[in-house]
Amino acid sequence: MSTLALGVSRGHVELLQFLRDRTAVVFTFAFPGMLLLLFGTIFQDTYDQPGVSASHVFSASMIAYGILTTAFVTMGAGLALDREDGTLKRLHGTPISATSYVLGKWFLVLALSVAQAAVLIAVGALVFGMSLPDASHWLTFAWIFLLSVTACSLLGMAVSGVVRHARTAGAILNVPVVALQFISGVFIYPVIQLPSWLITVASIFPVKWMAQGFRAVFLPDGMRVNEPAGQWELGRVALVLGAWCVIGLVLCLVTFRWTRPDR
Amino acid sequence: MTAIEVRGLRKAYRGHDVVRGIDLDVARGEVFALLGPNGAGKTTTTEILEGHRRRDGGEVRVLGADPGTAGPGWRARIGIVLQDADDAADLTVGELVGHVAGFYPRPRPSAEVIGLVGLTAKKDSRIRTLSGGQRRRLDVALGIVGRPELLFLDEPTTGFDPEARRQFWDLIRALAVEGTTILLTTHYLEEAEALADRLAVLAGGEIVARGTPAGLGGRASAGAKVSWRADGVLRTEQVPDPAPLIRELVAAEADLSTLTITRPTLEDTYLTLIGAHR
């Protein structure tokens, strides 16, 4: 079989295994939905734009949060676990390539991220009455989504190289997740409330650009004044996310190991 | 033709030598056992041959290639039975075997492999519900599904009950008959004796003896201990060949009802060998 066909085969068993772990399924899909329900209900801020409420902003921004937790944490912790339980060692003793293995993980993460984004968009639309965008905005959504999932997956994989034990992986991986979600305009919006140096720091990392991109898709155009630049800056979103994909890929190639290092 | 050729293999972990200059030759179609106590370097040696670990020094050829740099084509020709894998707990036996079979150019049908290791009744069971012995048999199935020319078995029967071990031995013999070369590590001496054409004893990272199970450590030429009772007194003599002594005793019409002739067991030989290197 080709590298791609084997990647699909890996993705299939990855997904099967994920879906059979009920706890993980419920947690992955219900948790962001619950957070959105809570935040959307608690914060009732309104903006200059008619018909836009805080719940709509959260619905859009939290897609970035969902991708971050799913792609970055699932990928990083999953890789650490695969290294620990013998999955990687088993595969390394067979003709399958590392690329097929990574593709399989990417398919898993993509499927989970799509399902999670669907939950968030459904809650936003059905519970909070967020209006759905037109076709050209969906196209924007698609490329931001793919770049975000790829960048976060690759970075999660790279970080898993420094995780020594699978049981500490979740805790380690959540440090950047929690820090970035607070400074990247996911939960604290508009971002301009933050000290300018913190905005500068956030602008280095992908999450700010992911959240901004998804807001550009789901919020009315006038809402762009609340962004740090006063613009959606979609070109810059593409540039930063693309750059993180490249950085992530390079880090993976440097740090990827089939087995744990020598005792 | 040689399946495995090792010259001067060395490996150290944090400055501590684990493998200190091993030479090894395994012919095609041979069942070769590496014996040795825990910490002797068996697993490290095996993992270097499998391509799982890098060596610090020495020459290694496995099926004509260097395992440190060999690619997927080489991996399709070897089979590895893992010692401590715990993966894919939420897949069924059939799903995992079928999935892994897909990695190989000409795999055995998965139903056949599952039957060979006696797991047909468990085909649709989740792997997490298997017993320890069943789990290891699944590992064997995954090791042979690609029709390997060379199979690595690292302590494959640890935790097996006696019946399961016998069945496993039959399976290994059947694979050997088909021409599969097998490198087996074990600390069960009867296992090495039952399966191996040749064996080597590792102690402290060095090979301290090698040979056939019957001839290891000069066992064949070690002679025998002959004991009998004469006039109520136990007599014991160590002789290179017991035959002349027995003839003498028979001629003298000695009481042979208590006669015993003992040769060193493989275990005696093994314990002497590794004891000398402690």
CSV table of all heavy atoms in Angstrom, one decimal, chain A residues 1 6 9-10 13 16-17 20 85-87 89-96 259 262-263, chain B residues 11 13 47 51-53 72 75 86-88 90-91 95 99 102-104 126 135 139 142:
chain,number,residue,atom,x,y,z
A,1,MET,N,0.8,-1.2,0.0
A,1,MET,CA,0.0,0.0,0.0
A,1,MET,C,0.9,1.3,0.0
A,1,MET,O,2.0,1.2,0.5
A,1,MET,CB,-0.9,0.0,1.2
A,1,MET,CG,-2.2,-0.7,1.0
A,1,MET,SD,-3.4,-0.2,2.3
A,1,MET,CE,-3.2,-1.5,3.5
A,6,LEU,N,-1.8,3.8,3.6
A,6,LEU,CA,-1.5,3.4,4.9
A,6,LEU,C,-1.9,4.4,6.0
A,6,LEU,O,-2.3,4.1,7.1
A,6,LEU,CB,0.0,3.0,5.1
A,6,LEU,CG,0.4,1.7,4.4
A,6,LEU,CD1,1.9,1.4,4.5
A,6,LEU,CD2,-0.4,0.5,5.1
A,9,SER,N,-5.5,4.1,6.5
A,9,SER,CA,-5.7,2.9,7.4
A,9,SER,C,-5.4,3.2,8.8
A,9,SER,O,-6.1,2.8,9.7
A,9,SER,CB,-4.8,1.8,6.8
A,9,SER,OG,-4.8,0.6,7.7
A,10,ARG,N,-4.3,3.9,9.1
A,10,ARG,CA,-3.9,4.3,10.4
A,10,ARG,C,-5.0,5.2,11.0
A,10,ARG,O,-5.4,5.1,12.1
A,10,ARG,CB,-2.6,5.1,10.5
A,10,ARG,CG,-1.3,4.3,10.4
A,10,ARG,CD,-1.1,3.3,11.5
A,10,ARG,NE,-1.3,3.9,12.8
A,10,ARG,CZ,-1.5,3.2,13.9
A,10,ARG,NH1,-1.6,1.9,13.8
A,10,ARG,NH2,-1.7,3.7,15.1
A,13,VAL,N,-8.0,3.2,12.2
A,13,VAL,CA,-7.9,2.5,13.5
A,13,VAL,C,-7.8,3.5,14.7
A,13,VAL,O,-8.2,3.3,15.8
A,13,VAL,CB,-6.8,1.5,13.6
A,13,VAL,CG1,-7.0,0.3,12.6
A,13,VAL,CG2,-5.4,2.1,13.4
A,16,LEU,N,-11.3,4.6,15.3
A,16,LEU,CA,-12.0,3.5,16.0
A,16,LEU,C,-11.7,3.5,17.5
A,16,LEU,O,-12.6,3.4,18.3
A,16,LEU,CB,-11.6,2.1,15.4
A,16,LEU,CG,-12.4,1.5,14.3
A,16,LEU,CD1,-11.8,0.2,13.9
A,16,LEU,CD2,-13.9,1.4,14.7
A,17,GLN,N,-10.4,3.5,17.8
A,17,GLN,CA,-10.0,3.5,19.2
A,17,GLN,C,-10.5,4.7,20.0
A,17,GLN,O,-10.9,4.5,21.1
A,17,GLN,CB,-8.4,3.4,19.2
A,17,GLN,CG,-7.9,2.1,18.6
A,17,GLN,CD,-6.4,2.1,18.9
A,17,GLN,OE1,-5.9,1.7,19.9
A,17,GLN,NE2,-5.6,2.5,17.9
A,20,ARG,N,-14.2,4.4,20.8
A,20,ARG,CA,-14.5,3.3,21.7
A,20,ARG,C,-14.2,3.7,23.2
A,20,ARG,O,-14.6,3.0,24.1
A,20,ARG,CB,-13.8,2.0,21.4
A,20,ARG,CG,-14.5,1.4,20.2
A,20,ARG,CD,-13.7,0.2,19.7
A,20,ARG,NE,-14.4,-0.3,18.4
A,20,ARG,CZ,-13.9,-1.3,17.7
A,20,ARG,NH1,-12.8,-1.8,18.1
A,20,ARG,NH2,-14.5,-1.6,16.6
A,85,ASP,N,3.1,2.8,25.3
A,85,ASP,CA,2.4,1.6,25.3
A,85,ASP,C,2.8,0.6,24.2
A,85,ASP,O,2.3,-0.5,24.1
A,85,ASP,CB,0.8,1.8,25.2
A,85,ASP,CG,0.3,2.2,23.9
A,85,ASP,OD1,1.1,2.2,22.9
A,85,ASP,OD2,-0.8,2.6,23.8
A,86,GLY,N,3.8,1.0,23.4
A,86,GLY,CA,4.4,0.1,22.5
A,86,GLY,C,3.9,0.2,21.1
A,86,GLY,O,4.3,-0.4,20.1
A,87,THR,N,2.9,1.1,20.9
A,87,THR,CA,2.3,1.3,19.5
A,87,THR,C,3.4,1.7,18.5
A,87,THR,O,3.6,1.1,17.4
A,87,THR,CB,1.3,2.5,19.5
A,87,THR,OG1,0.2,2.1,20.4
A,87,THR,CG2,0.7,2.6,18.1
A,89,LYS,N,6.7,1.4,18.9
A,89,LYS,CA,7.7,0.4,18.8
A,89,LYS,C,7.2,-0.7,17.8
A,89,LYS,O,8.0,-1.2,17.0
A,89,LYS,CB,8.0,-0.2,20.1
A,89,LYS,CG,9.3,-1.0,20.2
A,89,LYS,CD,9.6,-1.4,21.6
A,89,LYS,CE,10.9,-2.3,21.6
A,89,LYS,NZ,11.2,-2.9,22.9
A,90,ARG,N,6.0,-1.1,17.9
A,90,ARG,CA,5.4,-2.1,17.1
A,90,ARG,C,5.5,-1.6,15.6
A,90,ARG,O,5.9,-2.4,14.7
A,90,ARG,CB,3.9,-2.4,17.4
A,90,ARG,CG,3.2,-3.0,16.3
A,90,ARG,CD,2.2,-4.1,16.6
A,90,ARG,NE,1.8,-4.3,18.0
A,90,ARG,CZ,2.1,-5.4,18.7
A,90,ARG,NH1,2.9,-6.3,18.2
A,90,ARG,NH2,1.7,-5.5,19.9
A,91,LEU,N,5.0,-0.4,15.4
A,91,LEU,CA,5.0,0.1,14.0
A,91,LEU,C,6.4,0.2,13.4
A,91,LEU,O,6.6,-0.1,12.2
A,91,LEU,CB,4.3,1.5,13.9
A,91,LEU,CG,2.8,1.4,14.3
A,91,LEU,CD1,2.2,2.8,14.3
A,91,LEU,CD2,2.0,0.5,13.3
A,92,HIS,N,7.4,0.6,14.3
A,92,HIS,CA,8.7,0.8,13.8
A,92,HIS,C,9.4,-0.6,13.4
A,92,HIS,O,10.3,-0.6,12.6
A,92,HIS,CB,9.6,1.4,14.9
A,92,HIS,CG,11.0,1.8,14.4
A,92,HIS,ND1,11.2,2.3,13.2
A,92,HIS,CD2,12.2,1.6,15.0
A,92,HIS,CE1,12.5,2.5,13.1
A,92,HIS,NE2,13.1,2.1,14.2
A,93,GLY,N,8.8,-1.7,13.8
A,93,GLY,CA,9.3,-3.0,13.4
A,93,GLY,C,8.6,-3.5,12.2
A,93,GLY,O,8.9,-4.6,11.8
A,94,THR,N,7.8,-2.7,11.6
A,94,THR,CA,7.1,-3.1,10.4
A,94,THR,C,7.5,-2.1,9.2
A,94,THR,O,8.1,-1.1,9.5
A,94,THR,CB,5.6,-3.0,10.5
A,94,THR,OG1,5.2,-1.7,10.6
A,94,THR,CG2,5.1,-3.7,11.8
A,95,PRO,N,7.1,-2.4,8.0
A,95,PRO,CA,7.5,-1.5,6.9
A,95,PRO,C,6.8,-0.2,6.8
A,95,PRO,O,7.1,0.6,6.0
A,95,PRO,CB,7.1,-2.3,5.6
A,95,PRO,CG,6.7,-3.7,6.1
A,95,PRO,CD,6.4,-3.6,7.5
A,96,ILE,N,5.8,0.1,7.7
A,96,ILE,CA,5.1,1.4,7.6
A,96,ILE,C,6.0,2.5,7.9
A,96,ILE,O,7.0,2.4,8.7
A,96,ILE,CB,3.9,1.4,8.6
A,96,ILE,CG1,2.9,2.4,8.2
A,96,ILE,CG2,4.4,1.6,10.1
A,96,ILE,CD1,1.6,2.4,9.0
A,259,THR,N,11.2,5.4,19.5
A,259,THR,CA,11.2,4.8,20.8
A,259,THR,C,11.7,5.8,21.9
A,259,THR,O,12.1,6.9,21.5
A,259,THR,CB,12.1,3.6,20.8
A,259,THR,OG1,13.3,4.0,20.2
A,259,THR,CG2,11.5,2.4,20.1
A,262,ASP,N,17.5,6.0,25.1
A,262,ASP,CA,18.2,4.9,25.8
A,262,ASP,C,18.2,5.3,27.3
A,262,ASP,O,18.2,6.4,27.7
A,262,ASP,CB,19.7,4.9,25.4
A,262,ASP,CG,19.8,4.3,24.0
A,262,ASP,OD1,18.8,3.8,23.5
A,262,ASP,OD2,20.9,4.4,23.4
A,263,ARG,N,18.1,4.2,28.1
A,263,ARG,CA,18.0,4.3,29.5
A,263,ARG,C,19.2,5.0,30.1
A,263,ARG,O,20.3,4.9,29.5
A,263,ARG,CB,17.9,2.9,30.2
A,263,ARG,CG,16.6,2.3,30.1
A,263,ARG,CD,16.7,0.8,30.3
A,263,ARG,NE,17.2,0.1,29.1
A,263,ARG,CZ,17.5,-1.2,29.1
A,263,ARG,NH1,17.3,-1.9,30.2
A,263,ARG,NH2,18.0,-1.7,28.1
B,11,LYS,N,27.7,-1.7,23.2
B,11,LYS,CA,26.7,-0.8,23.5
B,11,LYS,C,26.9,-0.4,25.0
B,11,LYS,O,27.0,-1.3,25.8
B,11,LYS,CB,25.3,-1.3,23.3
B,11,LYS,CG,24.2,-0.4,23.7
B,11,LYS,CD,24.0,0.7,22.7
B,11,LYS,CE,22.9,1.7,23.1
B,11,LYS,NZ,22.8,2.8,22.2
B,13,TYR,N,25.2,2.3,28.1
B,13,TYR,CA,24.2,3.3,28.5
B,13,TYR,C,24.8,4.1,29.6
B,13,TYR,O,25.2,3.6,30.6
B,13,TYR,CB,23.0,2.6,29.1
B,13,TYR,CG,22.2,1.7,28.1
B,13,TYR,CD1,21.9,0.4,28.4
B,13,TYR,CD2,21.8,2.3,26.9
B,13,TYR,CE1,21.2,-0.3,27.5
B,13,TYR,CE2,21.1,1.5,26.0
B,13,TYR,CZ,20.8,0.2,26.3
B,13,TYR,OH,20.0,-0.6,25.4
B,47,GLU,N,17.5,-5.8,20.4
B,47,GLU,CA,16.9,-4.5,19.8
B,47,GLU,C,17.9,-3.9,18.8
B,47,GLU,O,17.4,-3.2,17.9
B,47,GLU,CB,16.6,-3.6,21.0
B,47,GLU,CG,15.4,-4.1,21.8
B,47,GLU,CD,14.8,-3.1,22.8
B,47,GLU,OE1,15.6,-2.2,23.2
B,47,GLU,OE2,13.7,-3.3,23.2
B,51,GLY,N,16.9,-3.2,14.8
B,51,GLY,CA,16.9,-1.8,14.3
B,51,GLY,C,16.2,-0.8,15.3
B,51,GLY,O,16.0,0.3,14.9
B,52,HIS,N,15.9,-1.3,16.5
B,52,HIS,CA,15.3,-0.4,17.5
B,52,HIS,C,16.3,0.4,18.2
B,52,HIS,O,15.9,1.4,18.8
B,52,HIS,CB,14.5,-1.2,18.5
B,52,HIS,CG,13.1,-1.6,18.0
B,52,HIS,ND1,12.4,-0.8,17.1
B,52,HIS,CD2,12.4,-2.8,18.1
B,52,HIS,CE1,11.2,-1.4,16.8
B,52,HIS,NE2,11.2,-2.6,17.4
B,53,ARG,N,17.5,0.0,18.3
B,53,ARG,CA,18.5,0.7,19.0
B,53,ARG,C,19.8,0.9,18.2
B,53,ARG,O,20.1,0.1,17.3
B,53,ARG,CB,18.9,0.0,20.3
B,53,ARG,CG,18.0,0.3,21.4
B,53,ARG,CD,18.5,-0.4,22.7
B,53,ARG,NE,17.3,-0.4,23.6
B,53,ARG,CZ,16.9,0.6,24.2
B,53,ARG,NH1,17.5,1.8,24.1
B,53,ARG,NH2,15.8,0.5,25.0
B,72,PRO,N,12.2,0.3,4.8
B,72,PRO,CA,10.9,-0.5,4.8
B,72,PRO,C,11.0,-1.8,4.1
B,72,PRO,O,10.4,-2.8,4.6
B,72,PRO,CB,9.9,0.4,4.1
B,72,PRO,CG,10.5,1.8,4.1
B,72,PRO,CD,12.0,1.6,4.2
B,75,ARG,N,12.4,-4.1,6.6
B,75,ARG,CA,11.5,-4.4,7.7
B,75,ARG,C,10.4,-5.4,7.2
B,75,ARG,O,9.8,-6.0,8.1
B,75,ARG,CB,10.9,-3.1,8.2
B,75,ARG,CG,11.9,-2.3,9.0
B,75,ARG,CD,11.3,-1.0,9.6
B,75,ARG,NE,12.4,-0.1,9.8
B,75,ARG,CZ,13.3,-0.3,10.8
B,75,ARG,NH1,13.1,-1.2,11.7
B,75,ARG,NH2,14.2,0.6,11.0
B,86,ASP,N,1.5,-3.0,24.9
B,86,ASP,CA,0.2,-2.8,25.6
B,86,ASP,C,-0.7,-2.0,24.8
B,86,ASP,O,-1.6,-1.3,25.3
B,86,ASP,CB,0.6,-2.1,26.9
B,86,ASP,CG,-0.5,-2.3,28.0
B,86,ASP,OD1,-1.2,-3.2,27.8
B,86,ASP,OD2,-0.5,-1.5,29.0
B,87,ASP,N,-0.4,-2.0,23.5
B,87,ASP,CA,-1.1,-1.1,22.6
B,87,ASP,C,-2.4,-1.6,22.0
B,87,ASP,O,-2.8,-2.8,22.3
B,87,ASP,CB,-0.2,-0.8,21.4
B,87,ASP,CG,0.2,-2.1,20.6
B,87,ASP,OD1,0.4,-3.1,21.3
B,87,ASP,OD2,0.3,-2.0,19.4
B,88,ALA,N,-3.2,-0.7,21.4
B,88,ALA,CA,-4.4,-1.0,20.7
B,88,ALA,C,-5.4,-1.7,21.5
B,88,ALA,O,-6.2,-2.6,21.0
B,88,ALA,CB,-4.1,-1.8,19.4
B,90,ASP,N,-8.3,-1.0,22.6
B,90,ASP,CA,-9.7,-0.9,22.2
B,90,ASP,C,-10.0,-1.5,20.8
B,90,ASP,O,-11.2,-1.4,20.4
B,90,ASP,CB,-10.1,0.6,22.3
B,90,ASP,CG,-10.3,1.0,23.7
B,90,ASP,OD1,-10.9,0.3,24.5
B,90,ASP,OD2,-9.7,2.1,24.1
B,91,LEU,N,-9.0,-2.0,20.2
B,91,LEU,CA,-9.3,-2.7,18.9
B,91,LEU,C,-9.6,-4.2,19.2
B,91,LEU,O,-9.3,-4.7,20.2
B,91,LEU,CB,-8.2,-2.6,17.9
B,91,LEU,CG,-7.8,-1.2,17.4
B,91,LEU,CD1,-6.6,-1.3,16.5
B,91,LEU,CD2,-9.0,-0.6,16.7
B,95,GLU,N,-9.3,-7.0,14.1
B,95,GLU,CA,-9.0,-5.6,13.5
B,95,GLU,C,-7.5,-5.3,13.5
B,95,GLU,O,-7.0,-4.8,12.5
B,95,GLU,CB,-9.7,-4.5,14.3
B,95,GLU,CG,-11.2,-4.4,14.0
B,95,GLU,CD,-12.0,-3.6,15.1
B,95,GLU,OE1,-11.4,-3.2,16.1
B,95,GLU,OE2,-13.1,-3.3,14.8
B,99,HIS,N,-5.2,-5.0,10.3
B,99,HIS,CA,-4.6,-3.7,10.0
B,99,HIS,C,-3.1,-3.9,9.8
B,99,HIS,O,-2.5,-3.3,8.8
B,99,HIS,CB,-4.8,-2.8,11.3
B,99,HIS,CG,-4.1,-1.5,11.3
B,99,HIS,ND1,-4.3,-0.5,10.3
B,99,HIS,CD2,-3.2,-1.0,12.1
B,99,HIS,CE1,-3.5,0.5,10.5
B,99,HIS,NE2,-2.8,0.2,11.6
B,102,GLY,N,-1.9,-5.3,6.5
B,102,GLY,CA,-1.9,-4.4,5.4
B,102,GLY,C,-0.6,-3.7,5.2
B,102,GLY,O,-0.4,-3.0,4.1
B,103,PHE,N,0.3,-3.7,6.1
B,103,PHE,CA,1.6,-3.1,6.0
B,103,PHE,C,2.6,-3.9,5.1
B,103,PHE,O,3.6,-3.3,4.6
B,103,PHE,CB,2.4,-2.9,7.3
B,103,PHE,CG,1.6,-2.1,8.4
B,103,PHE,CD1,2.1,-2.1,9.7
B,103,PHE,CD2,0.4,-1.4,8.1
B,103,PHE,CE1,1.4,-1.4,10.7
B,103,PHE,CE2,-0.2,-0.7,9.1
B,103,PHE,CZ,0.2,-0.7,10.4
B,104,TYR,N,2.3,-5.2,4.9
B,104,TYR,CA,3.2,-6.1,4.2
B,104,TYR,C,2.9,-6.3,2.8
B,104,TYR,O,1.7,-6.4,2.4
B,104,TYR,CB,3.3,-7.4,5.0
B,104,TYR,CG,3.9,-7.2,6.4
B,104,TYR,CD1,3.1,-6.9,7.5
B,104,TYR,CD2,5.3,-7.2,6.5
B,104,TYR,CE1,3.7,-6.8,8.7
B,104,TYR,CE2,5.9,-7.0,7.8
B,104,TYR,CZ,5.1,-6.8,8.9
B,104,TYR,OH,5.6,-6.6,10.1
B,126,ARG,N,-12.3,-7.4,22.2
B,126,ARG,CA,-11.4,-6.3,22.4
B,126,ARG,C,-10.1,-6.8,23.0
B,126,ARG,O,-10.1,-7.7,23.9
B,126,ARG,CB,-12.0,-5.3,23.4
B,126,ARG,CG,-13.3,-4.6,22.9
B,126,ARG,CD,-13.0,-3.5,22.0
B,126,ARG,NE,-14.2,-3.0,21.4
B,126,ARG,CZ,-14.9,-2.0,22.0
B,126,ARG,NH1,-14.5,-1.4,23.1
B,126,ARG,NH2,-16.1,-1.6,21.5
B,135,ARG,N,-2.6,-12.3,25.2
B,135,ARG,CA,-2.0,-11.0,24.6
B,135,ARG,C,-0.7,-11.3,24.0
B,135,ARG,O,-0.3,-10.8,22.9
B,135,ARG,CB,-1.9,-10.1,25.8
B,135,ARG,CG,-1.1,-8.8,25.6
B,135,ARG,CD,-1.9,-7.7,25.0
B,135,ARG,NE,-1.1,-7.3,23.8
B,135,ARG,CZ,-1.3,-6.1,23.3
B,135,ARG,NH1,-2.3,-5.3,23.7
B,135,ARG,NH2,-0.6,-5.7,22.2
B,139,ASP,N,0.7,-11.0,20.1
B,139,ASP,CA,2.0,-10.4,19.7
B,139,ASP,C,2.7,-11.3,18.7
B,139,ASP,O,3.4,-10.8,17.8
B,139,ASP,CB,2.9,-10.1,20.9
B,139,ASP,CG,2.4,-9.0,21.7
B,139,ASP,OD1,1.8,-8.1,21.2
B,139,ASP,OD2,2.6,-9.0,23.0
B,142,LEU,N,1.1,-11.0,15.3
B,142,LEU,CA,1.5,-9.8,14.7
B,142,LEU,C,3.0,-9.9,14.1
B,142,LEU,O,3.3,-9.3,13.1
B,142,LEU,CB,1.4,-8.6,15.6
B,142,LEU,CG,-0.1,-8.3,16.0
B,142,LEU,CD1,-0.1,-7.3,17.2
B,142,LEU,CD2,-0.9,-7.8,14.8
